[in-house]
Amino acid sequence: MSDSPPKVLIVGAGLAGLFLAILFERANIPYQIFERAITMKPLGSVMCLNANILPVFEQLGLLDELMAISLPSRSNELFDGDMRAIADVRMKDLKKLVGYDFLVFARPDLYDLLLSRIPKEKLFLGKKLLSLQQNELGVMIRLADNSSFHGDILVGADGSYSGVRQSLYKELQKKGMLPTSDGKQLSVNFSTIVGTTNSLGEDFHPHMKESTTHHSAMIGKGSPYTWSTFTVPGNRICWCVNMQLDAKASEDESFRNSEWTSDTNETMLNEIRAFKTPYGDLGKLISATDEDRISRVYLEDKMFETWHHNRTVLIGDAAHKMLPSAGQGAVNAMQDAVVLANCLYDLKAVTSEAIAAAFQDFKDQRYSHVLTQYEASKHYAKILYGQTLWERIVRHAVFNYLPEFTKTMHLSKEMSYRPQATFIPRVPNHGTSEVLPQKPSWRYTELQKQGAAAV
Ligand SMILES: Cc1cc2nc3c(=O)[nH]c(=O)nc-3n(C[C@H](O)[C@H](O)[C@H](O)COP(=O)(O)OP(=O)(O)OC[C@H]3O[C@@H](n4cnc5c(N)ncnc54)[C@H](O)[C@@H]3O)c2cc1C
Ligand SMILES: *[C@@H]1O[C@H](CO)[C@@H](O)[C@H](O)[C@H]1NC(C)=O
Ligand SMILES: *[C@@H]1O[C@H](CO)[C@@H](O)[C@H](O)[C@H]1NC(C)=O
Ligand SMILES: *[C@@H]1O[C@H](CO)[C@@H](O)[C@H](O)[C@H]1NC(C)=O
Ligand SMILES: *[C@@H]1O[C@H](CO)[C@@H](O)[C@H](O)[C@H]1NC(C)=O
């Protein structure tokens, strides 16, 4: 950047924080990133990324490495709890249509890839944010180890129970500026247990030799459970079990906040070991999974209205927590990082007014897209994991009667939003379906003109 850029403090080294750091490396924006965990221990779950974000991986030179740890997804097979086939949904022409496959991989492999691009001295582990203070001169964060750091801008990328958000909202509440809906808790409707096995060997099952991921989804009858398996590179299988919480359980706060004792999770693990999968009982996969690669999490759901105030901005799950049903939470967290980096690259001055204007621009560019995905994730959750009678009927109709062209149209519309970094060269559209236009960077355009004039 030609003018002196802002100094940014990023709290949270999840997917949003790490992706933002990599973008800042390319934009020459100075930053430090603070993570509360002492060692990086991502959830051992499966993840998928699609054309909504893959162009940015390509821009950053990360796509080949991502493809090396992934398998493309071309089908989803649905079964009932006794492994009787319900539906087999295929999506052969996705790459032709949007230019990229759906890529499926184990989340820890993506963390390793992103971490390899971030200079060690900019990442601080074991740094839990306790509070923040901001004024016309700058922003200061205080951490649990009594250290404190100063910057021009604070980015809260610290997930669904964001400390930055809590601290910011407390400040806004005092000033009477917090919308009522933002004062309310996240709603918890599902709980999930996930894991990734160790290598099972290539002779474990014929699926291991396939060049695409094999996804099987099982829907239990008369129980709140649905479960899934995905093959990933390295002859491994990611598995997950979702449980729909009833309205009473999801409103019960003590239930939500209670820590799972080894007793409770041992009980749950024993219960799910008998579930059937294409590979025999789930217990077989659980036994092949290291204990620290198994996690149990709640799936919350909430769209916050306040994303920024003064020098502080929220991105990713801290601003909008979606159910993972549509596989869009991380995609949106990374899109936030892209658009925020674009807005900060174009920052005109490091004053609290200019910063607030850049944050508003960020929110204006992102809000409606996030809201659409948030609503879609709710909808998919009901179709995929819902166990009420109505949800079962809708699921049956969607998988069996929705014509192929409707699905294709729906997909091309969903995939038309593909924001790229505007301060480095764009990659062209590799597909046949349309891409939404994007606001260019005035600073990059200016530099290109100067460059052309110099030649
Ligand atoms: C089972 C499951 C499967 C999913 N599958 C997909 C998928 O296939 N595709 C997809 O797009 N999305 C998926 N998601 C959603 C996706 O994981 C999230 O949306 C994404 O991780 C959000 O990233 P984030 O960086 O905003 O938050 P997080 O990943 O939660 O990262 C926040 C980070 O901040 C740290 N932190 C928290 N508080 C503090 C503090 N006070 N001080 C310092 N650090 C702090 C945390 O330790 C953490 O490292 C899935 C989610 C789940 C639960
Ligand atoms: C940020 O906060 C400081 C201190 O309260 C205030 O002087 C300044 O005007 C604020 N800036 C904006 C853009 O709200
Ligand atoms: C932080 O400071 C307080 C008060 O100065 C002190 O009581 C506490 O032990 C310190 N904590 C750490 C982790 O150093
Ligand atoms: C989650 O639970 C709340 C309250 O129990 C309910 O209003 C909402 O519709 C549920 N959402 C989903 C996706 O099931
Ligand atoms: C089981 O509980 C222990 C202790 O609370 C916890 O450390 C571990 O991660 C849990 N395991 C699972 C599979 O939830």
Side-chain angles (χ1 to χ4, degrees):
M1 290 171 87
S2 49
D3 311 347
S4 115
K7 180 172 175 257
V8 185
L9 309 175
I10 305 172
V11 175
L15 294 172
L18 294 176
F19 210 59
L20 185 65
I22 294 175
L23 289 155
F24 281 174
E25 288 291 328
R26 290 296 291 270
N28 285 320
I29 296 176
Y31 68 92
Q32 290 169 305
I33 177 165
F34 304 91
E35 165 58 46
R36 85 178 153 193
I38 294 162
T39 53
M40 297 293 280
K41 228 176 71 185
L43 213 59
S45 73
V46 71
M47 264 195 65
C48 82
L49 291 177
N50 60 24
N52 294 127
I53 193 65
L54 292 177
V56 187
F57 277 78
E58 188 175 345
Q59 277 190 297
L60 293 169
L62 293 169
L63 186 61
D64 288 341
E65 282 165 85
L66 180 66
M67 279 165 56
I69 58 167
S70 311
L71 289 173
S73 164
R74 304 261 163 77
S75 68
N76 299 288
E77 283 182 273
L78 248 70
F79 299 93
D80 70 8
D82 295 314
M83 295 307 294
R84 279 186 294 258
I86 300 174
D88 184 353
V89 188
R90 293 190 176 266
M91 211 36 247
K92 276 198 299 292
D93 287 333
L94 188 64
K95 189 162 180 181
K96 219 163 95 196
L97 191 68
V98 300
Y100 303 86
D101 277 306
F102 270 117
L103 296 180
V104 173
F105 51 87
R107 176 188 298 246
D109 297 347
L110 176 63
Y111 268 73
D112 289 344
L113 172 56
L114 298 181
L115 280 169
S116 74
R117 299 304 161 97
I118 295 169
K120 296 274 166 299
E121 69 277 10
K122 296 187 190 173
L123 174 61
F124 297 78
L125 296 175
K127 297 281 188 190
K128 181 180 177 190
L129 173 123
L130 288 185
S131 67
L132 67 93
Q133 272 181 318
Q134 50 184 348
N135 59 35
E136 59 274 38
L137 297 176
V139 55
M140 185 190 80
I141 55 171
R142 216 189 311 273
L143 306 167
D145 63 359
N146 278 350
S147 60
S148 56
F149 292 82
H150 295 258
D152 298 309
I153 285 177
L154 170 62
V155 180
D158 50 347
S160 37
Y161 288 95
S162 168
V164 174
R165 189 185 64 228
Q166 286 173 33
S167 205
L168 188 70
Y169 282 13
K170 214 185 276 168
E171 181 189 328
L172 286 167
Q173 199 134 39
K174 262 193 223 140
K175 296 181 183 163
M177 288 167 69
L178 191 71
T180 352
S181 67
D182 282 348
K184 294 197 178 124
Q185 291 259 20
L186 290 83
S187 64
V188 184
N189 297 64
F190 300 94
S191 148
T192 187
I193 183 160
V194 297
T196 300
T197 67
N198 296 319
S199 171
L200 298 161
E202 65 168 356
D203 297 326
F204 176 74
H205 192 277
H207 288 172
M208 301 290 131
K209 297 196 174 90
E210 291 174 7
S211 56
T212 57
T213 184
H214 209 103
H215 173 209
S216 313
M218 279 63 70
I219 297 166
K221 206 170 193 160
S223 83
Y225 293 113
T226 59
W227 57 102
S228 265
T229 57
F230 297 80
T231 56
V232 290
N235 302 312
R236 294 171 301 163
I237 293 175
C238 294
W239 53 270
C240 65
V241 178
N242 294 303
M243 184 171 86
Q244 187 173 30
L245 305 173
D246 58 27
K248 202 165 142 276
S250 68
E251 275 160 22
D252 182 351
E253 234 147 273
S254 57
F255 173 77
R256 177 189 316 172
N257 293 329
S258 67
E259 288 288 323
W260 290 90
T261 63
S262 48
D263 245 20
T264 5
N265 66 29
E266 219 20 75
T267 315
M268 173 150 178
L269 276 177
N270 283 335
E271 198 174 344
I272 68 179
R273 273 176 208 278
F275 289 179
K276 294 194 171 75
T277 79
Y279 314 102
D281 289 351
L282 187 61
K284 198 156 111 190
L285 300 182
I286 295 176
S287 305
T289 307
D290 288 343
E291 210 165 293
D292 66 355
R293 279 279 187 260
I294 301 180
S295 344
R296 174 160 194 182
V297 285
Y298 289 109
L299 304 181
E300 312 93 340
D301 180 25
K302 188 168 170 79
M303 180 86 183
F304 290 95
E305 292 303 317
T306 310
W307 290 11
H308 62 92
H309 178 63
N310 212 298
R311 292 173 176 271
T312 304
V313 65
L314 304 171
I315 64 172
D317 282 10
H320 42 75
K321 175 71 179 172
M322 302 176 193
L323 293 165
S325 44
Q328 278 284 340
V331 168
N332 275 274
M334 290 175 169
Q335 287 175 338
D336 281 355
V338 172
V339 174
L340 181 62
N342 290 345
C343 292
L344 293 183
Y345 180 82
D346 273 353
L347 193 67
K348 293 220 160 95
V350 188
T351 61
S352 80
E353 283 71 24
I355 291 168
F359 289 167
Q360 189 58 43
D361 185 15
F362 157 71
K363 190 183 177 191
D364 289 344
Q365 288 187 51
R366 290 287 299 142
Y367 188 84
S368 66
H369 294 287
V370 175
L371 188 61
T372 305
Q373 289 305 332
Y374 173 78
E375 298 294 347
S377 299
K378 256 188 195 315
H379 182 69
Y380 281 128
K382 294 195 171 177
I383 294 177
L384 291 174
Y385 321 135
Q387 291 291 10
T388 64
L389 180 62
W390 174 243
E391 288 159 354
R392 284 167 177 277
I393 292 168
V394 171
R395 174 159 59 230
H396 190 77
V398 167
F399 284 111
N400 289 300
Y401 304 120
L402 206 61
E404 197 58 39
F405 86 91
T406 318
K407 278 190 248 171
T408 305
M409 280 199 15
H410 184 68
L411 265 176
S412 20
K413 184 158 178 287
E414 272 195 353
M415 306 246 158
S416 61
Y417 179 60
R418 304 177 205 165
Q420 295 192 26
T422 50
F423 48 86
I424 50 178
R426 290 183 69 86
V427 297
N429 180 3
H430 303 307
T432 54
S433 72
E434 215 179 308
V435 179
L436 292 177
Q438 200 182 344
K439 180 177 164 182
S441 157
W442 68 264
R443 193 186 296 276
Y444 185 71
T445 310
E446 203 67 23
L447 287 175
Q448 294 299 99
K449 263 192 227 148
Q450 284 169 17
V455 173

